PDB file of all heavy atoms in Angstrom:
ATOM      1  N   ARG A  47      33.415  25.900  47.244  1.00 93.00           N
ATOM      2  CA  ARG A  47      33.954  25.834  48.539  1.00 93.00           C
ATOM      3  C   ARG A  47      35.006  26.918  48.841  1.00 93.00           C
ATOM      4  O   ARG A  47      35.498  26.997  49.984  1.00 93.00           O
ATOM      5  CB  ARG A  47      34.663  24.478  48.688  1.00 93.00           C
ATOM      6  CG  ARG A  47      33.627  23.358  48.700  1.00 93.00           C
ATOM      7  CD  ARG A  47      34.309  21.973  48.419  1.00 93.00           C
ATOM      8  NE  ARG A  47      35.358  21.659  49.400  1.00 93.00           N
ATOM      9  CZ  ARG A  47      36.265  20.727  49.304  1.00 93.00           C
ATOM     10  NH1 ARG A  47      36.180  19.899  48.231  1.00 93.00           N
ATOM     11  NH2 ARG A  47      37.176  20.512  50.208  1.00 93.00           N
ATOM     12  N   SER A  48      35.320  27.760  47.915  1.00 90.00           N
ATOM     13  CA  SER A  48      36.387  28.771  48.175  1.00 90.00           C
ATOM     14  C   SER A  48      35.803  29.976  48.880  1.00 90.00           C
ATOM     15  O   SER A  48      34.637  30.179  49.004  1.00 90.00           O
ATOM     16  CB  SER A  48      37.001  29.207  46.818  1.00 90.00           C
ATOM     17  OG  SER A  48      36.215  30.160  46.172  1.00 90.00           O
ATOM     18  N   GLU A  50      35.708  32.748  47.605  1.00 89.00           N
ATOM     19  CA  GLU A  50      34.981  33.540  46.550  1.00 89.00           C
ATOM     20  C   GLU A  50      33.594  33.039  46.260  1.00 89.00           C
ATOM     21  O   GLU A  50      32.972  33.393  45.225  1.00 89.00           O
ATOM     22  CB  GLU A  50      35.870  33.563  45.323  1.00 89.00           C
ATOM     23  CG  GLU A  50      37.228  34.185  45.500  1.00 89.00           C
ATOM     24  CD  GLU A  50      38.149  34.029  44.320  1.00 89.00           C
ATOM     25  OE1 GLU A  50      37.867  34.771  43.347  1.00 89.00           O
ATOM     26  OE2 GLU A  50      39.014  33.219  44.308  1.00 89.00           O
ATOM     27  N   PRO A 145      30.798  26.819  34.033  1.00 97.00           N
ATOM     28  CA  PRO A 145      31.225  26.912  35.368  1.00 97.00           C
ATOM     29  C   PRO A 145      31.650  28.293  35.721  1.00 97.00           C
ATOM     30  O   PRO A 145      32.612  28.800  35.176  1.00 97.00           O
ATOM     31  CB  PRO A 145      32.439  25.915  35.449  1.00 97.00           C
ATOM     32  CG  PRO A 145      33.000  25.972  34.057  1.00 97.00           C
ATOM     33  CD  PRO A 145      31.901  26.329  33.129  1.00 97.00           C
ATOM     34  N   VAL A 146      30.957  28.959  36.655  1.00 96.00           N
ATOM     35  CA  VAL A 146      31.292  30.262  37.036  1.00 96.00           C
ATOM     36  C   VAL A 146      31.826  30.304  38.451  1.00 96.00           C
ATOM     37  O   VAL A 146      31.554  31.207  39.241  1.00 96.00           O
ATOM     38  CB  VAL A 146      30.178  31.236  36.856  1.00 96.00           C
ATOM     39  CG1 VAL A 146      29.822  31.487  35.395  1.00 96.00           C
ATOM     40  CG2 VAL A 146      28.949  30.798  37.603  1.00 96.00           C
ATOM     41  N   LEU A 147      32.519  29.275  38.822  1.00 95.00           N
ATOM     42  CA  LEU A 147      33.253  29.140  40.041  1.00 95.00           C
ATOM     43  C   LEU A 147      34.460  29.989  40.077  1.00 95.00           C
ATOM     44  O   LEU A 147      35.182  30.055  39.082  1.00 95.00           O
ATOM     45  CB  LEU A 147      33.529  27.703  40.421  1.00 95.00           C
ATOM     46  CG  LEU A 147      32.254  26.837  40.519  1.00 95.00           C
ATOM     47  CD1 LEU A 147      32.498  25.476  39.934  1.00 95.00           C
ATOM     48  CD2 LEU A 147      31.869  26.704  41.991  1.00 95.00           C
ATOM     49  N   HIS A 148      34.807  30.587  41.197  1.00 92.00           N
ATOM     50  CA  HIS A 148      36.083  31.314  41.333  1.00 92.00           C
ATOM     51  C   HIS A 148      36.878  30.724  42.452  1.00 92.00           C
ATOM     52  O   HIS A 148      36.334  30.334  43.509  1.00 92.00           O
ATOM     53  CB  HIS A 148      35.750  32.784  41.727  1.00 92.00           C
ATOM     54  CG  HIS A 148      34.914  33.520  40.664  1.00 92.00           C
ATOM     55  ND1 HIS A 148      35.237  33.540  39.367  1.00 92.00           N
ATOM     56  CD2 HIS A 148      33.758  34.215  40.807  1.00 92.00           C
ATOM     57  CE1 HIS A 148      34.376  34.239  38.761  1.00 92.00           C
ATOM     58  NE2 HIS A 148      33.447  34.716  39.550  1.00 92.00           N
ATOM     59  N   GLY A 149      38.150  30.632  42.205  1.00 90.00           N
ATOM     60  CA  GLY A 149      39.104  30.124  43.254  1.00 90.00           C
ATOM     61  C   GLY A 149      39.220  28.627  43.287  1.00 90.00           C
ATOM     62  O   GLY A 149      38.828  27.965  42.381  1.00 90.00           O
ATOM     63  N   PRO A 150      39.856  28.104  44.366  1.00 91.00           N
ATOM     64  CA  PRO A 150      40.051  26.653  44.483  1.00 91.00           C
ATOM     65  C   PRO A 150      38.789  25.880  44.459  1.00 91.00           C
ATOM     66  O   PRO A 150      37.673  26.365  44.702  1.00 91.00           O
ATOM     67  CB  PRO A 150      40.771  26.523  45.827  1.00 91.00           C
ATOM     68  CG  PRO A 150      41.353  27.852  46.098  1.00 91.00           C
ATOM     69  CD  PRO A 150      40.394  28.856  45.475  1.00 91.00           C
ATOM     70  N   TYR A 151      38.883  24.571  44.039  1.00 93.00           N
ATOM     71  CA  TYR A 151      37.788  23.685  43.971  1.00 93.00           C
ATOM     72  C   TYR A 151      36.754  24.035  42.916  1.00 93.00           C
ATOM     73  O   TYR A 151      35.562  23.843  43.038  1.00 93.00           O
ATOM     74  CB  TYR A 151      37.069  23.492  45.355  1.00 93.00           C
ATOM     75  CG  TYR A 151      37.994  23.324  46.464  1.00 93.00           C
ATOM     76  CD1 TYR A 151      38.212  24.263  47.471  1.00 93.00           C
ATOM     77  CD2 TYR A 151      38.787  22.088  46.611  1.00 93.00           C
ATOM     78  CE1 TYR A 151      39.129  24.067  48.515  1.00 93.00           C
ATOM     79  CE2 TYR A 151      39.692  21.925  47.625  1.00 93.00           C
ATOM     80  CZ  TYR A 151      39.853  22.922  48.552  1.00 93.00           C
ATOM     81  OH  TYR A 151      40.712  22.832  49.566  1.00 93.00           O
ATOM     82  N   GLY A 152      37.219  24.588  41.769  1.00 92.00           N
ATOM     83  CA  GLY A 152      36.285  24.922  40.746  1.00 92.00           C
ATOM     84  C   GLY A 152      36.952  25.636  39.579  1.00 92.00           C
ATOM     85  O   GLY A 152      36.784  25.302  38.430  1.00 92.00           O
ATOM     86  N   GLU A 153      37.778  26.662  39.840  1.00 94.00           N
ATOM     87  CA  GLU A 153      38.393  27.449  38.820  1.00 94.00           C
ATOM     88  C   GLU A 153      39.846  26.881  38.577  1.00 94.00           C
ATOM     89  O   GLU A 153      40.454  27.300  37.606  1.00 94.00           O
ATOM     90  CB  GLU A 153      38.539  28.919  39.203  1.00 94.00           C
ATOM     91  CG  GLU A 153      38.921  29.886  38.098  1.00 94.00           C
ATOM     92  CD  GLU A 153      39.120  31.286  38.587  1.00 94.00           C
ATOM     93  OE1 GLU A 153      38.708  31.601  39.744  1.00 94.00           O
ATOM     94  OE2 GLU A 153      39.685  32.045  37.802  1.00 94.00           O
ATOM     95  N   ASP A 154      40.283  25.982  39.414  1.00 95.00           N
ATOM     96  CA  ASP A 154      41.685  25.587  39.451  1.00 95.00           C
ATOM     97  C   ASP A 154      41.984  24.309  38.686  1.00 95.00           C
ATOM     98  O   ASP A 154      43.059  23.763  38.863  1.00 95.00           O
ATOM     99  CB  ASP A 154      42.200  25.473  40.866  1.00 95.00           C
ATOM    100  CG  ASP A 154      41.310  24.453  41.625  1.00 95.00           C
ATOM    101  OD1 ASP A 154      40.270  23.970  41.140  1.00 95.00           O
ATOM    102  OD2 ASP A 154      41.716  24.105  42.803  1.00 95.00           O
ATOM    103  N   GLY A 155      41.048  23.773  37.871  1.00 96.00           N
ATOM    104  CA  GLY A 155      41.232  22.544  37.164  1.00 96.00           C
ATOM    105  C   GLY A 155      40.562  21.356  37.719  1.00 96.00           C
ATOM    106  O   GLY A 155      40.455  20.299  37.159  1.00 96.00           O
ATOM    107  N   THR A 156      40.088  21.443  39.078  1.00 95.00           N
ATOM    108  CA  THR A 156      39.455  20.312  39.644  1.00 95.00           C
ATOM    109  C   THR A 156      38.147  19.965  39.030  1.00 95.00           C
ATOM    110  O   THR A 156      37.807  18.823  38.618  1.00 95.00           O
ATOM    111  CB  THR A 156      39.286  20.548  41.178  1.00 95.00           C
ATOM    112  OG1 THR A 156      38.693  21.886  41.359  1.00 95.00           O
ATOM    113  CG2 THR A 156      40.619  20.558  41.878  1.00 95.00           C
ATOM    114  N   LEU A 157      37.297  21.023  38.855  1.00 95.00           N
ATOM    115  CA  LEU A 157      35.920  20.702  38.206  1.00 95.00           C
ATOM    116  C   LEU A 157      36.239  20.387  36.786  1.00 95.00           C
ATOM    117  O   LEU A 157      35.475  19.564  36.223  1.00 95.00           O
ATOM    118  CB  LEU A 157      35.089  21.985  38.330  1.00 95.00           C
ATOM    119  CG  LEU A 157      33.733  21.918  37.582  1.00 95.00           C
ATOM    120  CD1 LEU A 157      32.907  20.768  38.180  1.00 95.00           C
ATOM    121  CD2 LEU A 157      33.028  23.248  37.658  1.00 95.00           C
ATOM    122  N   GLN A 158      37.123  21.021  36.112  1.00 96.00           N
ATOM    123  CA  GLN A 158      37.400  20.777  34.673  1.00 96.00           C
ATOM    124  C   GLN A 158      37.846  19.308  34.539  1.00 96.00           C
ATOM    125  O   GLN A 158      37.445  18.685  33.512  1.00 96.00           O
ATOM    126  CB  GLN A 158      38.524  21.753  34.141  1.00 96.00           C
ATOM    127  CG  GLN A 158      38.087  23.125  34.102  1.00 96.00           C
ATOM    128  CD  GLN A 158      37.975  23.906  35.380  1.00 96.00           C
ATOM    129  OE1 GLN A 158      38.419  23.454  36.432  1.00 96.00           O
ATOM    130  NE2 GLN A 158      37.330  25.052  35.332  1.00 96.00           N
ATOM    131  N   GLY A 159      38.624  18.781  35.447  1.00 95.00           N
ATOM    132  CA  GLY A 159      39.027  17.363  35.357  1.00 95.00           C
ATOM    133  C   GLY A 159      37.794  16.468  35.543  1.00 95.00           C
ATOM    134  O   GLY A 159      37.650  15.411  34.751  1.00 95.00           O
ATOM    135  N   LEU A 160      36.880  16.771  36.401  1.00 93.00           N
ATOM    136  CA  LEU A 160      35.656  15.979  36.553  1.00 93.00           C
ATOM    137  C   LEU A 160      34.838  15.965  35.255  1.00 93.00           C
ATOM    138  O   LEU A 160      34.339  14.918  34.825  1.00 93.00           O
ATOM    139  CB  LEU A 160      34.792  16.567  37.720  1.00 93.00           C
ATOM    140  CG  LEU A 160      33.370  15.955  37.882  1.00 93.00           C
ATOM    141  CD1 LEU A 160      33.508  14.448  38.249  1.00 93.00           C
ATOM    142  CD2 LEU A 160      32.602  16.692  38.949  1.00 93.00           C
ATOM    143  N   TYR A 168      32.588  22.170  28.306  1.00 96.00           N
ATOM    144  CA  TYR A 168      32.469  23.232  29.335  1.00 96.00           C
ATOM    145  C   TYR A 168      33.029  24.497  28.869  1.00 96.00           C
ATOM    146  O   TYR A 168      33.983  24.473  28.061  1.00 96.00           O
ATOM    147  CB  TYR A 168      32.978  22.789  30.682  1.00 96.00           C
ATOM    148  CG  TYR A 168      34.539  22.360  30.620  1.00 96.00           C
ATOM    149  CD1 TYR A 168      35.504  23.189  30.787  1.00 96.00           C
ATOM    150  CD2 TYR A 168      34.730  20.991  30.357  1.00 96.00           C
ATOM    151  CE1 TYR A 168      36.820  22.792  30.734  1.00 96.00           C
ATOM    152  CE2 TYR A 168      36.115  20.517  30.241  1.00 96.00           C
ATOM    153  CZ  TYR A 168      37.128  21.451  30.514  1.00 96.00           C
ATOM    154  OH  TYR A 168      38.427  21.014  30.421  1.00 96.00           O
ATOM    155  N   SER A 171      38.805  27.411  30.154  1.00 97.00           N
ATOM    156  CA  SER A 171      40.093  26.746  29.982  1.00 97.00           C
ATOM    157  C   SER A 171      39.983  25.294  30.500  1.00 97.00           C
ATOM    158  O   SER A 171      39.181  24.940  31.416  1.00 97.00           O
ATOM    159  CB  SER A 171      41.216  27.461  30.653  1.00 97.00           C
ATOM    160  OG  SER A 171      41.480  28.673  30.001  1.00 97.00           O
ATOM    161  N   GLY A 172      40.905  24.458  30.016  1.00 97.00           N
ATOM    162  CA  GLY A 172      41.020  23.061  30.457  1.00 97.00           C
ATOM    163  C   GLY A 172      41.742  22.931  31.768  1.00 97.00           C
ATOM    164  O   GLY A 172      42.005  23.883  32.506  1.00 97.00           O
ATOM    165  N   VAL A 173      42.101  21.661  32.098  1.00 97.00           N
ATOM    166  CA  VAL A 173      42.691  21.325  33.378  1.00 97.00           C
ATOM    167  C   VAL A 173      44.009  22.105  33.592  1.00 97.00           C
ATOM    168  O   VAL A 173      44.210  22.773  34.589  1.00 97.00           O
ATOM    169  CB  VAL A 173      42.889  19.818  33.481  1.00 97.00           C
ATOM    170  CG1 VAL A 173      43.599  19.457  34.760  1.00 97.00           C
ATOM    171  CG2 VAL A 173      41.563  19.060  33.421  1.00 97.00           C
ATOM    172  N   LEU A 174      44.950  21.984  32.605  1.00 97.00           N
ATOM    173  CA  LEU A 174      46.266  22.568  32.799  1.00 97.00           C
ATOM    174  C   LEU A 174      46.161  24.108  32.924  1.00 97.00           C
ATOM    175  O   LEU A 174      46.705  24.653  33.819  1.00 97.00           O
ATOM    176  CB  LEU A 174      47.113  22.187  31.626  1.00 97.00           C
ATOM    177  CG  LEU A 174      48.530  22.912  31.608  1.00 97.00           C
ATOM    178  CD1 LEU A 174      49.394  22.480  32.852  1.00 97.00           C
ATOM    179  CD2 LEU A 174      49.323  22.566  30.331  1.00 97.00           C
ATOM    180  N   ALA A 175      45.500  24.718  31.980  1.00 98.00           N
ATOM    181  CA  ALA A 175      45.374  26.157  31.962  1.00 98.00           C
ATOM    182  C   ALA A 175      44.708  26.661  33.223  1.00 98.00           C
ATOM    183  O   ALA A 175      45.076  27.708  33.748  1.00 98.00           O
ATOM    184  CB  ALA A 175      44.753  26.683  30.699  1.00 98.00           C
ATOM    185  N   SER A 176      43.716  26.017  33.664  1.00 97.00           N
ATOM    186  CA  SER A 176      42.957  26.459  34.826  1.00 97.00           C
ATOM    187  C   SER A 176      43.888  26.377  36.070  1.00 97.00           C
ATOM    188  O   SER A 176      43.852  27.226  36.933  1.00 97.00           O
ATOM    189  CB  SER A 176      41.765  25.594  35.049  1.00 97.00           C
ATOM    190  OG  SER A 176      40.797  25.718  33.946  1.00 97.00           O
ATOM    191  N   ALA A 177      44.660  25.242  36.183  1.00 97.00           N
ATOM    192  CA  ALA A 177      45.532  25.078  37.301  1.00 97.00           C
ATOM    193  C   ALA A 177      46.626  26.188  37.266  1.00 97.00           C
ATOM    194  O   ALA A 177      46.983  26.837  38.291  1.00 97.00           O
ATOM    195  CB  ALA A 177      46.188  23.724  37.293  1.00 97.00           C
ATOM    196  N   VAL A 178      47.216  26.427  36.100  1.00 97.00           N
ATOM    197  CA  VAL A 178      48.282  27.449  35.932  1.00 97.00           C
ATOM    198  C   VAL A 178      47.720  28.797  36.300  1.00 97.00           C
ATOM    199  O   VAL A 178      48.280  29.650  36.917  1.00 97.00           O
ATOM    200  CB  VAL A 178      48.904  27.422  34.537  1.00 97.00           C
ATOM    201  CG1 VAL A 178      49.742  28.623  34.260  1.00 97.00           C
ATOM    202  CG2 VAL A 178      49.739  26.196  34.358  1.00 97.00           C
ATOM    203  N   GLY A 179      46.456  29.086  35.766  1.00 96.00           N
ATOM    204  CA  GLY A 179      45.850  30.412  36.035  1.00 96.00           C
ATOM    205  C   GLY A 179      45.475  30.611  37.519  1.00 96.00           C
ATOM    206  O   GLY A 179      45.300  31.770  37.915  1.00 96.00           O
ATOM    207  N   GLN A 180      45.332  29.505  38.286  1.00 96.00           N
ATOM    208  CA  GLN A 180      45.000  29.678  39.690  1.00 96.00           C
ATOM    209  C   GLN A 180      46.229  29.818  40.560  1.00 96.00           C
ATOM    210  O   GLN A 180      46.171  30.590  41.592  1.00 96.00           O
ATOM    211  CB  GLN A 180      44.233  28.447  40.135  1.00 96.00           C
ATOM    212  CG  GLN A 180      43.663  28.581  41.576  1.00 96.00           C
ATOM    213  CD  GLN A 180      42.601  29.630  41.642  1.00 96.00           C
ATOM    214  OE1 GLN A 180      41.722  29.736  40.772  1.00 96.00           O
ATOM    215  NE2 GLN A 180      42.667  30.420  42.705  1.00 96.00           N
ATOM    216  N   ASP A 181      47.307  29.146  40.199  1.00 97.00           N
ATOM    217  CA  ASP A 181      48.496  29.203  40.999  1.00 97.00           C
ATOM    218  C   ASP A 181      49.472  30.288  40.501  1.00 97.00           C
ATOM    219  O   ASP A 181      50.106  30.185  39.494  1.00 97.00           O
ATOM    220  CB  ASP A 181      49.215  27.822  40.978  1.00 97.00           C
ATOM    221  CG  ASP A 181      50.325  27.651  42.031  1.00 97.00           C
ATOM    222  OD1 ASP A 181      51.167  28.641  42.125  1.00 97.00           O
ATOM    223  OD2 ASP A 181      50.359  26.676  42.746  1.00 97.00           O
ATOM    224  N   LYS A 182      49.510  31.351  41.211  1.00 97.00           N
ATOM    225  CA  LYS A 182      50.268  32.589  40.824  1.00 97.00           C
ATOM    226  C   LYS A 182      51.717  32.310  40.628  1.00 97.00           C
ATOM    227  O   LYS A 182      52.443  32.909  39.806  1.00 97.00           O
ATOM    228  CB  LYS A 182      50.034  33.720  41.756  1.00 97.00           C
ATOM    229  CG  LYS A 182      48.583  34.234  41.767  1.00 97.00           C
ATOM    230  CD  LYS A 182      48.338  35.351  42.717  1.00 97.00           C
ATOM    231  CE  LYS A 182      46.904  35.921  42.573  1.00 97.00           C
ATOM    232  NZ  LYS A 182      45.882  34.891  42.937  1.00 97.00           N
ATOM    233  N   ALA A 234      48.651  32.340  47.301  1.00 95.00           N
ATOM    234  CA  ALA A 234      49.205  31.973  46.019  1.00 95.00           C
ATOM    235  C   ALA A 234      48.089  31.521  45.072  1.00 95.00           C
ATOM    236  O   ALA A 234      48.226  31.583  43.887  1.00 95.00           O
ATOM    237  CB  ALA A 234      50.289  30.922  46.137  1.00 95.00           C
ATOM    238  N   ARG A 235      47.025  30.990  45.682  1.00 93.00           N
ATOM    239  CA  ARG A 235      45.914  30.386  44.852  1.00 93.00           C
ATOM    240  C   ARG A 235      44.545  30.856  45.276  1.00 93.00           C
ATOM    241  O   ARG A 235      43.722  30.099  45.772  1.00 93.00           O
ATOM    242  CB  ARG A 235      46.038  28.876  44.925  1.00 93.00           C
ATOM    243  CG  ARG A 235      47.358  28.310  44.431  1.00 93.00           C
ATOM    244  CD  ARG A 235      47.618  26.879  44.909  1.00 93.00           C
ATOM    245  NE  ARG A 235      47.930  26.840  46.330  1.00 93.00           N
ATOM    246  CZ  ARG A 235      48.465  25.794  46.955  1.00 93.00           C
ATOM    247  NH1 ARG A 235      48.669  24.662  46.242  1.00 93.00           N
ATOM    248  NH2 ARG A 235      48.646  25.747  48.249  1.00 93.00           N
ATOM    249  N   ALA A 236      44.378  32.159  45.087  1.00 84.00           N
ATOM    250  CA  ALA A 236      43.040  32.774  45.360  1.00 84.00           C
ATOM    251  C   ALA A 236      42.854  33.939  44.425  1.00 84.00           C
ATOM    252  O   ALA A 236      43.801  34.344  43.700  1.00 84.00           O
ATOM    253  CB  ALA A 236      42.981  33.196  46.841  1.00 84.00           C
ATOM    254  N   GLY A 237      41.683  34.476  44.408  1.00 74.00           N
ATOM    255  CA  GLY A 237      41.390  35.587  43.510  1.00 74.00           C
ATOM    256  C   GLY A 237      40.448  36.633  44.162  1.00 74.00           C
ATOM    257  O   GLY A 237      40.226  36.537  45.336  1.00 74.00           O
ATOM    258  N   ASP A 262      45.268  30.280  51.944  1.00 94.00           N
ATOM    259  CA  ASP A 262      46.128  29.331  51.346  1.00 94.00           C
ATOM    260  C   ASP A 262      47.393  29.190  52.066  1.00 94.00           C
ATOM    261  O   ASP A 262      48.030  30.176  52.451  1.00 94.00           O
ATOM    262  CB  ASP A 262      46.449  29.933  49.859  1.00 94.00           C
ATOM    263  CG  ASP A 262      47.184  28.928  48.995  1.00 94.00           C
ATOM    264  OD1 ASP A 262      47.709  27.931  49.497  1.00 94.00           O
ATOM    265  OD2 ASP A 262      47.311  29.181  47.794  1.00 94.00           O
ATOM    266  N   ASN A 365      43.366  35.719  34.712  1.00 96.00           N
ATOM    267  CA  ASN A 365      42.222  35.086  35.455  1.00 96.00           C
ATOM    268  C   ASN A 365      41.468  34.342  34.417  1.00 96.00           C
ATOM    269  O   ASN A 365      40.844  34.909  33.482  1.00 96.00           O
ATOM    270  CB  ASN A 365      41.382  36.196  36.054  1.00 96.00           C
ATOM    271  CG  ASN A 365      40.487  35.684  37.147  1.00 96.00           C
ATOM    272  OD1 ASN A 365      39.828  34.650  36.961  1.00 96.00           O
ATOM    273  ND2 ASN A 365      40.441  36.351  38.309  1.00 96.00           N
ATOM    274  N   THR A 366      41.367  33.006  34.536  1.00 96.00           N
ATOM    275  CA  THR A 366      40.691  32.139  33.516  1.00 96.00           C
ATOM    276  C   THR A 366      39.176  32.181  33.632  1.00 96.00           C
ATOM    277  O   THR A 366      38.474  31.700  32.765  1.00 96.00           O
ATOM    278  CB  THR A 366      41.241  30.697  33.616  1.00 96.00           C
ATOM    279  OG1 THR A 366      41.000  30.212  34.947  1.00 96.00           O
ATOM    280  CG2 THR A 366      42.685  30.683  33.196  1.00 96.00           C
ATOM    281  N   MET A 367      38.650  32.619  34.842  1.00 94.00           N
ATOM    282  CA  MET A 367      37.218  32.817  34.951  1.00 94.00           C
ATOM    283  C   MET A 367      37.080  34.174  35.695  1.00 94.00           C
ATOM    284  O   MET A 367      36.892  34.199  36.948  1.00 94.00           O
ATOM    285  CB  MET A 367      36.494  31.748  35.638  1.00 94.00           C
ATOM    286  CG  MET A 367      34.965  31.857  35.767  1.00 94.00           C
ATOM    287  SD  MET A 367      34.130  32.312  34.232  1.00 94.00           S
ATOM    288  CE  MET A 367      34.288  30.780  33.338  1.00 94.00           C
TER     289      MET A 367
END
Side-chain angles (χ1 to χ4, degrees):
R47 294 163 55 192
S48 83
E50 298 174 73
V146 291
L147 295 140
H148 300 306
Y151 313 111
E153 189 185 351
D154 58 350
T156 50
L157 177 63
Q158 290 75 15
L160 173 63
Y168 53 92
S171 290
V173 176
L174 173 65
S176 297
V178 168
Q180 188 66 43
D181 191 311
K182 294 177 175 62
R235 296 162 292 192
D262 188 347
N365 199 314
T366 56
M367 183 49 71

